[in-house]
Amino acid sequence: HPFANIKLIAILPIETPISLLSLEMKQLKERQNSLGVEYQNDFYSSLLERVDLSGKIQNTKVTNAILKQNKISMDSLQGLTPKELSKILGVDAVVLGSINRRISGYSKHHSNIIHCVVSLNDKNNAKIWQYNISVAKSQKKSVDNITSTVLRKAMDAFPTEAESRKRGFSKLNIFKHKK
């Protein structure tokens, strides 16, 4: 099954394109980078709380240090394949993700849609798992609250041993729920 050869996973910074007209380009890039790393760390921490992954997920500080040593920025991540990233990071699979904010409609009747895509890809470029979610922003909740909600839902959907059995995989020795 697709998880059999996965021993170590790296979670990459989550792509977070934002468009705030009040920010200059340099500030915008800095904010995108800081949000990407913030969401990466949230995903990592949440998985460690929920699933027994001791020694199975590369610490995000290690991942980011290796990316920096190889002069790989948030912008250049998009130009690399999971296979290339796995080789650079010395892992068997990578978690890639993006969070986007879309505005639909016109005038005061527009709606904000927060869309999140997270995938687990092995070192041969095969997509093992993917989760997509879109949530409309209500008047009462901030974009940050909605973004946290969609990221949490993606984390909750991350494949576990029980889920892999439901899908017919014989044994998944990597993602065991904590007791």
Side-chain angles (χ1 to χ4, degrees), residues 1-3 158-175:
H1 62 77
F3 295 100
F158 198 77
T160 62
E161 183 177 34
E163 181 184 323
S164 71
R165 279 196 210 115
K166 278 192 255 178
R167 292 181 179 203
F169 300 131
S170 58
K171 185 179 179 202
L172 179 58
N173 61 3
I174 241 182
F175 310 113

Side-chain angles (χ1 to χ4, degrees), residues 141-161:
K141 295 207 174 187
S142 72
V143 171
D144 286 343
N145 285 345
I146 299 296
T147 302
S148 294
T149 298
V150 297
L151 193 58
R152 175 66 61 184
K153 287 180 185 255
M155 289 181 250
D156 289 345
F158 198 77
T160 62
E161 183 177 34

Side-chain angles (χ1 to χ4, degrees), residues 14-17 39-40 43 95-102 113-119 129-136 143 146-157:
I14 307 291
E15 180 188 3
T16 314
Y39 295 146
Q40 172 197 28
F43 200 93
V95 173
L96 305 168
S98 68
I99 298 175
N100 294 294
R101 176 180 171 197
R102 294 185 299 215
I113 307 289
I114 307 297
H115 182 73
C116 178
V117 178
V118 179
S119 64
W129 169 83
Q130 182 170 315
Y131 185 77
N132 292 288
I133 184 171
S134 294
V135 175
V143 171
I146 299 296
T147 302
S148 294
T149 298
V150 297
L151 193 58
R152 175 66 61 184
K153 287 180 185 255
M155 289 181 250
D156 289 345

